[in-house]
Amino acid sequence: MTIQINFERLKQDVQDLAAIGRQQDHGIYRMAFSPGDMQAREWLQRRIQDAGLDLYVDGAANIHARLEWDGTRPSVMTGSHLDSVPRGGHLDGALGVLTGLECLRSVREQELPLRNPLESVAFTDEEGRFGHMFGSQAICGQVTPDSIMQARDLQGIRLVDAMAENGLDAMEALHAQRNPGSIQSFVELHIEQGPVLDRQRLAIGIVDGIAGLFKWQVRLIGEANHAGTTPMNMRRDAFQGLAEVAGEIPRILEEHGSPRSVATIGRVDLFPAAANVVPGRAEFSLDVRDTDPVVLDQLANACRRSLSAIARRRELMFEFDVMSELQPVKCDSGVVDTISAMCQEMGISATRMHSGAAHDTQIMSTITRAGMIFVPSKEGRSHSPSEWTAWEDIEIGANTLLNTLYRLAGDAA
Ligand code: HGY
Ligand code: MN
Ligand code: MN
């Protein structure tokens, strides 16, 4: 027996949420604890209450919708994130939150018997404005007073201050930790954010592994000087150092990476940033990923060596802060098999695949059995206003999630 969501209601939620935090350039600006994020949080809490579900917000500001929660039986959990990258798309994270909410509403309305309670969570700061996955890391007991106090964004704004501005005490995140026995399993629905499903015309991706990453904030420090009078061989030009680091990336990936390795310099700031001044300081982000922890380690060492050699040669100082380190994970084989069985029973075209993007699922997998369901991204586009998934794929994905959650939690005796 397969059950169905109320697709028109889900579609309306997707359209309503897509309007929150959207700016003129059609991008979504819901960075953690920004006005857009706070507006989306309020909207979601109203939707949870309108649906007659239990609402619970934990110390890390993770928003939980709950059905038949009794605090004793372990729950089957789903969820994703409301926050976005700057100028992001309207489905990254949001789709997982809304399909999770729709699944709980549908089970409740259809009065389907449950062996385990259901929870759907909107995790705080998945996109890592203040590092990465703050909400799911808090649930998994991976935050400390120190890590909370240290957390800041690339502009230097502290997490503690961003939360306090919204009436939240960041230290409360220490109390968000869940007993691993309180969650039976976790399944996240997410857009693929890559081209595989779209190209192969497949409806569902069954994720069997998620890439890990390290994200550094690097500073190269030279000497600001006059752009006209300083001879080229007497410069300590921080931008030229950065340019050389960027040029080294393909070699580093080739010599120390795997076919799945990727590296990105996504943000650069030069100081003093004047056309007629040799840059004295270059600050930039470095995001490097792979599905193999050994390869990730090798890439980190190679990046450190390259930075050090370039700094020495150019008489620059270099330093870097580790903004985030996420281990690659394998998804739980039982959860993967359950999703696969549901696709077969529902006659849905599916393939097993890895995720190049990071997700809350890889944090949740440290305390419970975890897996993911991908739906296609048009031309693989994401972290961009051109992010799109066909409504038909959204409906198939939501029904796959609903039937998977019910297979895990339902009392279909
Ligand atoms: O960076 C990522 O992979 C995710 O979108 N936070
Ligand atoms: Mn995401
Ligand atoms: Mn994202």
Side-chain angles (χ1 to χ4, degrees):
M1 167 197 96
T2 59
I3 37 184
Q4 307 282 322
I5 53 125
N6 176 329
F7 176 63
E8 287 311 316
R9 180 172 57 192
L10 172 61
K11 185 172 180 180
Q12 191 57 54
D13 274 354
V14 171
Q15 290 166 328
D16 292 350
L17 180 55
I20 300 178
R22 194 189 282 281
Q23 291 188 6
Q24 292 298 332
D25 61 8
H26 202 59
I28 302 289
Y29 291 76
R30 289 201 304 255
M31 294 72 78
F33 301 113
S34 64
D37 183 35
M38 297 315 290
Q39 222 188 319
R41 286 167 168 276
E42 281 154 31
W43 176 87
L44 176 65
Q45 292 178 59
R46 280 198 306 277
R47 294 300 285 156
I48 292 170
Q49 288 166 324
D50 294 348
L53 296 166
D54 292 335
L55 168 65
Y56 167 63
V57 183
D58 69 18
N62 294 308
I63 300 168
H64 302 245
R66 287 171 162 175
L67 179 58
E68 295 198 17
W69 170 262
D70 56 16
T72 45
R73 292 172 298 158
S75 62
V76 169
M77 187 187 272
T78 184
S80 196
H81 58 96
L82 290 173
D83 67 294
S84 77
V85 292
R87 198 168 177 270
H90 68 296
L91 293 172
D92 177 2
L95 189 62
V97 171
L98 296 177
T99 49
L101 173 62
E102 178 51 36
C103 288
L104 269 63
R105 273 189 306 226
S106 297
V107 170
R108 180 175 180 274
E109 267 168 11
Q110 297 171 41
E111 296 175 347
L112 300 169
L114 286 170
R115 230 187 5 261
N116 297 83
L118 289 176
E119 290 188 272
S120 178
V121 183
F123 294 104
T124 295
D125 193 21
E126 186 277 347
E127 292 294 0
R129 174 185 170 191
F130 297 99
H132 238 137
M133 319 275 175
F134 177 69
S136 48
Q137 288 193 332
I139 282 181
C140 297
Q142 297 176 9
V143 298
T144 63
D146 224 21
S147 70
I148 295 171
M149 289 307 289
Q150 298 297 326
R152 70 191 191 296
D153 68 10
L154 294 181
Q155 280 83 19
I157 295 170
R158 296 190 316 157
L159 169 68
V160 174
D161 298 331
M163 288 184 76
E165 244 175 54
N166 291 290
L168 298 165
D169 174 0
M171 283 302 165
E172 285 300 308
L174 296 166
H175 307 293
Q177 181 171 1
R178 287 284 288 268
N179 166 347
S182 72
I183 305 171
Q184 184 242 56
S185 50
F186 176 80
V187 185
E188 176 175 7
L189 181 138
H190 204 285
I191 52 172
E192 179 201 335
Q193 301 180 294
V196 172
L197 296 176
D198 189 40
R199 279 218 190 117
Q200 296 180 17
R201 318 234 35 81
L202 293 168
I204 294 289
I206 304 165
V207 179
D208 52 18
I210 306 174
L213 63 86
F214 59 84
K215 180 169 74 169
W216 296 349
Q217 174 67 354
V218 185
R219 284 178 294 285
L220 283 173
I221 300 151
E223 186 181 61
N225 220 324
H226 196 296
T229 56
T230 313
M232 292 309 280
N233 65 358
M234 290 174 70
R235 294 183 177 201
R236 293 171 55 216
D237 182 335
F239 172 72
Q240 289 299 328
L242 161 57
E244 196 173 341
V245 170
E248 282 276 275
I249 285 176
R251 178 192 63 77
I252 288 172
L253 293 185
E254 225 165 278
E255 289 176 9
H256 305 279
S258 81
R260 286 182 171 171
S261 302
V262 288
T264 311
I265 294 178
R267 182 192 168 98
V268 173
D269 292 298
L270 293 177
F271 302 90
N276 57 355
V277 180
V278 174
R281 195 168 92 241
E283 294 202 7
F284 57 97
S285 61
L286 178 61
D287 174 311
V288 181
R289 307 188 187 207
D290 196 275
T291 50
D292 180 333
V294 174
V295 171
L296 261 185
D297 257 358
Q298 285 163 353
L299 288 169
N301 292 332
C303 289
R304 245 192 297 274
R305 281 197 304 274
S306 173
L307 274 164
S308 167
I310 290 168
R312 205 175 29 257
R313 203 174 327 114
R314 290 181 173 273
E315 292 178 64
L316 304 173
M317 271 253 297
F318 95 93
E319 52 192 34
F320 67 92
D321 296 329
V322 178
M323 302 297 281
S324 174
E325 275 178 337
L326 298 176
Q327 282 305 314
V329 297
K330 294 256 176 279
C331 292
D332 176 82
S333 57
V335 171
V336 168
D337 290 346
T338 304
I339 300 168
S340 191
M342 292 324 304
C343 289
Q344 258 164 4
E345 287 175 34
M346 296 165 74
I348 293 171
S349 62
T351 184
R352 293 188 185 209
M353 61 190 294
H354 87 279
S355 170
H359 295 286
D360 288 305
T361 299
Q362 72 200 94
I363 307 298
M364 294 305 290
S365 72
T366 61
I367 65 166
T368 188
R369 304 166 29 193
M372 291 190 80
I373 294 168
F374 272 173
V375 292
S377 292
K378 190 126 189 67
E379 293 158 16
R381 302 292 301 275
S382 182
H383 280 188
S384 136
S386 33
E387 192 171 88
W388 182 257
T389 296
W391 289 112
E392 180 202 359
D393 290 332
I394 288 177
E395 183 171 16
I396 293 170
N399 280 323
T400 305
L401 177 66
L402 173 60
N403 285 276
T404 299
L405 293 175
Y406 196 66
R407 180 62 52 91
L408 292 166
D411 193 1

